[in-house]
Amino acid sequence: MLKPIGEGNSRLARSDWLGGRKKPPLLRTRELGYGVLERLGFGNRAPEATGLPGAMLSEVLLVSAPGKVILHGEHAVVHGKVALAVALNLRTFLRLQPHSNGRVGLNLPNIGVRRAWDVASLQLLDTSFLGHGDSAALTAKHVEKLKEVVGFPKDCVDPEHLAVLAFLYLYLSICQSQRWTEENLELINKWAFQGERVIHGNPSGVDNAVSTWGGALRYQQGKISSLKRPPVLKILLINTKVPRSTKVLVANVRSRLLKFPEIVAPLLTSIDAISLECERVLGEMAAAPTPEHYLTLEELIDMNQHHLNALGVGHASLDQLCQVTTAHGLHSKLTGAGGGGCGITLLRPDVERPEVEATKRALSGYGFDCWETSVGAPGVSVHTAASLDASVQQGLDSL
């Protein structure tokens, strides 16, 4: 059984995920991922993963990847319809730093995790069941076996254990691969997808794809393609902080479809049409955006939100969010599973700064967290220390 050691060792090599300018509240990992849709706070709240072998990394490596929101197609995508996902300009930063103390460590302060292991102990583990080659297919049996190997309870489903499990799976698998390079985006995407499978079981692949390639993606029935030259859209990302289960919500939509097929099936078809129309409009905007384009996007947002409510994935908190932004002349919808969670609000170019600030204050007044950002951000990127924003560099240096 594998035991963590060196819980308080401050000399561990580091990989630090940071982003943003202000400290957010603690968010649920299974809802937003490890800092992907949030701006992680600085100092002792910045997650760390430590200890790649020196043979794999000879100097400090700084990389980042964007977060993601679904523009249109939530739930309908589960039933073979189109979904549009876009990369957020809220980024997770990762710092990898080699160390020769013979340990590999993981520090995720945002969820209260700090672990360290002897590299030698990890190398002695029987990981033959993981398979070989580039991101070999991961199954539920593999995950259960990994829990057994590292000494985790079989029934552990909390974010803390799953975060550690995903890290150990990726570490053990990547370290036995001889072909891994950070430049290979395809391989990065495959490994990221495997980490998603450890956490979520049967993910769509959209999250890891958007964070790897950035921009905007079209997803349908397992096929992912990039939208060419998507326009940069300014939005508000709002976290209602209402927890929900994606699995339960997806199951509820399926039950409603079986109970009312002639009602729900047309809703899903209509959501599909909304996604396709949005794709068409975004394509036109890449060449020459007009005020009419933004008005169309707002209409699509409103229609999709009503459809999602009809599917049963709305929530009082999301209704409140939409009412607040409507009062300020803005248009919003849920993004993701619904039932709480997050929503997005489109910011037209003609919206005045005082109106934006007033909207943010009103949303905060209801206890929501609100970030002003944009979509269509670059994918995973390598940085030099000199290229980092001063606030990000300050956060890294404070660790």
Side-chain angles (χ1 to χ4, degrees):
M1 182 180 295
L2 183 63
K3 299 288 187 181
I5 62 171
E7 298 279 329
N9 193 329
S10 61
R11 292 174 53 83
L12 293 174
R14 293 176 178 177
S15 121
D16 308 317
W17 291 321
L18 292 172
R21 298 180 179 275
K22 66 179 183 178
K23 184 175 180 180
L26 185 65
L27 299 181
R28 293 178 178 271
T29 306
R30 299 188 72 182
E31 293 172 6
L32 296 182
Y34 304 113
V36 171
L37 292 186
E38 58 192 303
R39 289 180 181 264
L40 287 177
F42 295 138
N44 63 4
R45 289 179 61 83
E48 306 174 329
T50 73
L52 280 177
M56 295 183 66
L57 189 67
S58 59
E59 59 185 21
V60 174
L61 176 66
L62 293 170
V63 298
S64 71
K68 167 235 99 185
V69 293
I70 300 292
L71 277 185
H72 295 288
E74 296 94 336
H75 291 282
V77 70
V78 178
H79 303 276
K81 309 302 183 182
V82 170
L84 299 181
V86 291
L88 277 176
N89 197 26
L90 295 177
R91 305 187 70 83
T92 290
F93 285 84
L94 165 68
R95 183 170 70 185
L96 291 171
Q97 181 175 325
H99 207 287
S100 58
N101 65 354
R103 293 174 178 174
V104 58
L106 177 67
N107 183 11
L108 303 173
N110 199 53
I111 55 173
V113 169
R114 188 178 183 90
R115 300 288 185 94
W117 302 268
D118 279 323
V119 172
S121 297
L122 293 176
Q123 292 173 341
L124 290 175
L125 293 176
D126 178 11
T127 59
S128 58
F129 65 94
L130 293 177
H132 297 280
D134 298 345
S135 60
L138 181 72
T139 68
K141 289 184 178 180
H142 289 149
V143 175
E144 294 308 309
K145 179 64 175 178
L146 183 61
K147 289 180 182 179
E148 177 185 337
V149 168
V150 300
F152 282 0
K154 288 185 177 181
D155 59 349
C156 66
V157 293
D158 58 280
E160 295 79 10
H161 277 99
L162 291 177
V164 175
L165 201 65
F167 169 76
L168 286 174
Y169 167 75
L170 294 173
Y171 178 87
L172 294 169
S173 300
I174 291 172
C175 285
Q176 72 178 7
S177 171
Q178 298 301 310
R179 298 178 55 198
W180 181 79
T181 62
E182 66 271 19
E183 293 87 8
N184 191 328
L185 288 178
E186 182 64 38
L187 195 53
I188 289 174
N189 182 59
K190 288 180 180 179
W191 281 120
F193 179 65
Q194 297 293 61
E196 283 276 291
R197 294 182 73 180
V198 173
I199 302 295
H200 298 297
N202 188 31
S204 67
V206 171
D207 286 16
N208 47 278
V210 174
S211 288
T212 300
W213 280 288
L217 300 180
R218 182 188 200 271
Y219 179 91
Q220 185 178 24
Q221 295 182 331
K223 296 180 180 180
I224 300 175
S225 57
S226 297
L227 275 64
K228 294 182 179 179
R229 297 186 302 134
V232 175
L233 301 176
K234 293 184 178 180
I235 67 165
L236 296 179
L237 173 67
I238 304 105
N239 180 18
T240 68
K241 296 190 284 188
V242 175
R244 74 284 186 275
S245 168
T246 299
K247 183 178 180 180
V248 170
L249 289 162
V250 169
N252 288 346
V253 172
R254 186 175 299 277
S255 296
R256 185 166 289 195
L257 174 60
L258 293 174
K259 186 176 182 179
F260 305 110
E262 294 184 358
I263 299 172
V264 176
L267 285 174
L268 298 176
T269 299
S270 182
I271 292 174
D272 186 57
I274 289 172
S275 297
L276 293 174
E277 177 64 10
C278 181
E279 182 180 8
R280 184 193 67 78
V281 173
L282 293 178
E284 289 185 356
M285 293 178 71
T290 66
E292 288 72 25
H293 285 137
Y294 283 95
L295 293 176
T296 300
L297 291 180
E298 289 179 334
E299 286 185 275
L300 296 176
I301 284 173
D302 291 343
M303 287 189 288
N304 200 353
Q305 178 62 20
H306 288 307
H307 285 357
L308 290 166
N309 277 331
L311 290 179
V313 297
H315 189 270
S317 62
L318 293 166
D319 293 340
Q320 186 67 67
L321 185 163
C322 291
Q323 291 169 13
V324 169
T325 57
T326 298
H328 291 271
L330 302 174
H331 298 254
S332 306
K333 64 177 288 291
L334 67 85
T335 182
C342 289
I344 55 174
T345 301
L346 180 65
L347 298 178
R348 301 184 311 275
D350 63 342
V351 178
E352 299 290 339
R353 170 53 44 186
E355 196 66 56
V356 174
E357 294 300 325
T359 304
K360 291 163 65 176
R361 287 194 300 271
L363 290 167
S364 297
Y366 283 95
F368 302 152
D369 287 336
C370 185
W371 297 273
E372 185 176 348
T373 184
S374 59
V375 300
V380 63
S381 306
V382 179
H383 304 270
T384 63
S387 71
L388 293 178
D389 181 87
S391 60
V392 175
Q393 187 63 60
Q394 180 183 0
L396 288 168
D397 291 342
S398 69
L399 294 167

